[in-house]
Amino acid sequence: MGSVTVPKSSLDSAAAGGDDAADRRALLVDAEIDDVPAAEPTRVGSRRTLAYLGVCLVLIGLNLRTVFSSFSAVLPEVTADAGLPGWAVVVLTTVPVTLLGVFAPLAPVLARRFGAERVLLGAMAVLTAGLLLRPLEAGGAGHLPALLAGTAACGAAISLCNVLLPGLVKRDFPHRLGLMGGLYTTAICASAALGAGFTYPVFSATGEWTAALRFWALPAGVVLLLFVPLAIRQRHGTHQASRGGVNVWRSAVAWQVTLFMVLQAMMSFSVFAWLAPILRERGVDGGTAGVIVSVSIVLQMLGSLFAPALATRFRDQRAINTVVALMTGCGFALSIFGPLELIWLWTGLLGLGQGSLTAVALTMIMVRTRDGHTAAHLSGMMQGVGYGVGSTGTLMVGQLHQATGSFAAAGVLFLAVGSLAAVFGYRAGRNRFIGG
């Protein structure tokens, strides 16, 4: 079966399709761009099948953040019932983020060997298995071994999807880049919101945190089954990685952009891991805390939609990078220190700031590079270092809480992290290119 051929006029219109399509390219870096020969589009037999592929890719995105937000939504119940020691809670909130960075460099290598579609299929199988494994009890050892193994499997699987999925969207839908890029990025934000908002109600309905966590294997398993027919029929030739181009690891600009990414990741994944427990420690009930976190994440979607368009309209991005970094740090701190009567305002500020911050950090990939190869290398550097080092944010919040018995020290920490993000965002926002 041959792939659908996109007319050249469609490609030209996408390339000239306005700011929205350009903004989406910042979030859709092709991890296979160094493949020689170039990776072919996914083989589909009709436009209906191409639409089916698009639905599958968006649904995969809809499963990439539930593992983070679902665990935090019932963290007090898990900790009490499973008797988790303090170190285990810290590890369980940190490991999946760390693995996003550890496994990111492997994704292009695996795609070159097996094909991106089959690697995505395997990643969804591992993600489904990890979500099923998390709540299991291992006899006398309790829940901890399964929680650790399942969480690690989910983190590794999500890392592969994070790297490969944007490239597939860009490669297979160049004529609908704005639409598909918007659906894909919105699905990822919605994934976190769904995990935060629905996990506690499932717990309330069943009375079991194990059922609340196991529930998220259902949508992952459905997507896995839907994607199987497309992925297994793909033929994959022999590819090699091309050499040459700009060495981003030796670029001062690339390091400034990457450190900006590190600092935003420290705050972003700490929100997923700790905002619900912070609210519950302040006296908010579990159901309301989940709704507040969900609304905050929905506001992240608004920020991620508008911030890239605004950023690319300016000659440089120093002002917007600085403002959204400070918004995020202050929103995080106010969620801890601010009057509880205004908690919706504080978490709303946090959501708008965090969504905008993540989006402009990723937009730096586009505005600081001159070609797709450099953009892909910068993206790999940002994901590997950004997620790997950025996971220390969730680690430090957990350790500070364990040492002090409250989240107050974490509030001070993120005022500092937000300020540092503003500094590196200012430097990364200067109108310069990697490689001169």
Side-chain angles (χ1 to χ4, degrees):
M1 300 290 287
S3 60
V4 170
T5 301
V6 180
K8 185 179 184 297
S9 59
S10 298
L11 295 174
D12 293 339
S13 65
D19 294 330
D20 182 65
D23 298 335
R24 296 303 169 200
R25 285 190 188 91
L27 307 179
L28 299 174
V29 176
D30 186 359
E32 298 177 285
I33 198 167
D34 286 336
D35 284 8
V36 178
E40 296 181 358
T42 304
R43 295 176 180 272
V44 294
S46 65
R47 292 195 179 275
R48 180 178 296 179
T49 309
L50 183 65
Y52 180 83
L53 169 65
V55 170
C56 287
L57 297 182
V58 171
L59 290 177
I60 289 173
L62 200 57
N63 284 273
L64 297 187
R65 294 295 181 267
T66 55
V67 67
F68 303 103
S69 54
S70 61
F71 183 71
S72 67
V74 289
L75 182 58
E77 288 75 21
V78 177
T79 303
D81 184 66
L84 298 182
W87 67 265
V89 174
V90 174
V91 169
L92 287 167
T93 53
T94 303
V95 162
V97 187
T98 304
L99 292 179
L100 295 185
V102 171
F103 279 83
L106 294 179
V109 178
L110 292 173
R112 204 170 291 127
R113 175 67 177 84
F114 301 105
E117 296 86 358
R118 293 189 179 188
V119 176
L120 267 182
L121 180 67
M124 286 305 299
V126 172
L127 177 60
T128 304
L131 290 168
L132 287 171
L133 178 61
R134 278 198 307 173
L136 295 181
E137 187 173 9
H143 288 281
L144 183 56
L147 278 169
L148 290 171
T151 300
C154 291
I158 293 169
S159 177
L160 299 179
C161 294
N162 276 349
V163 175
L164 295 178
L165 194 55
L168 273 177
V169 171
K170 186 173 183 178
R171 186 186 75 190
D172 292 331
F173 298 91
H175 54 312
R176 293 290 184 269
L177 187 59
L179 172 63
M180 285 299 299
L183 290 173
Y184 159 72
T185 53
T186 301
I188 290 182
C189 281
S191 174
L194 291 171
F198 284 94
T199 302
Y200 194 85
V202 174
F203 165 73
S204 298
T206 62
E208 298 179 355
W209 63 265
T210 53
L213 292 187
R214 191 180 296 113
F215 171 80
W216 297 106
L218 177 61
V222 169
V223 178
L224 171 65
L225 294 176
L226 289 174
F227 195 53
V228 165
L230 277 174
I232 61 174
R233 74 183 187 190
Q234 299 305 311
R235 296 197 299 269
H236 184 68
T238 302
H239 296 271
Q240 295 179 335
S242 64
R243 303 297 179 186
V246 177
N247 187 341
V248 295
W249 296 91
R250 296 182 179 179
S251 167
V253 177
W255 276 107
Q256 289 160 9
V257 172
T258 298
L259 289 172
F260 184 41
M261 180 70 172
V262 166
L263 293 161
Q264 82 80 22
M266 289 178 69
M267 292 189 282
S268 177
F269 285 97
S270 293
V271 169
F272 293 150
W274 295 109
L275 183 55
I278 286 169
L279 297 176
R280 296 186 68 177
E281 188 171 282
R282 296 199 67 186
V284 180
D285 67 89
T288 304
V291 173
I292 291 174
V293 175
S294 293
V295 171
S296 181
I297 294 171
V298 169
L299 290 173
Q300 285 189 29
M301 295 185 205
L302 292 179
S304 68
L305 284 173
F306 293 110
L310 183 61
T312 53
R313 278 174 168 78
F314 294 102
R315 185 172 178 271
D316 63 43
Q317 293 72 42
R318 288 177 291 183
I320 189 171
N321 287 359
T322 302
V323 168
V324 298
L326 292 175
M327 279 179 62
T328 306
C330 290
F332 204 115
L334 286 168
S335 297
I336 297 173
F337 298 125
L340 192 59
E341 295 79 9
L342 298 176
I343 194 63
W344 289 94
L345 176 61
W346 312 140
T347 55
L349 176 68
L350 173 60
L352 282 173
Q354 185 62 65
S356 302
L357 178 61
T358 302
V360 295
L362 292 172
T363 302
M364 294 299 102
I365 298 173
M366 177 180 70
V367 299
R368 293 293 164 263
T369 57
R370 296 184 186 274
D371 59 78
H373 292 273
T374 306
H377 297 163
L378 177 60
S379 177
M381 178 180 178
M382 287 174 65
Q383 292 195 63
V385 178
Y387 292 140
V389 180
S391 64
T392 59
T394 60
L395 175 66
M396 287 189 286
V397 173
Q399 288 181 323
L400 287 171
H401 184 265
Q402 189 176 348
T404 64
S406 80
F407 287 106
V412 176
L413 168 68
F414 281 101
L415 282 174
V417 172
S419 298
L420 282 172
V423 171
F424 283 101
Y426 183 90
R427 295 183 66 82
R430 291 177 293 177
N431 187 23
R432 299 176 302 163
F433 290 94
I434 294 172

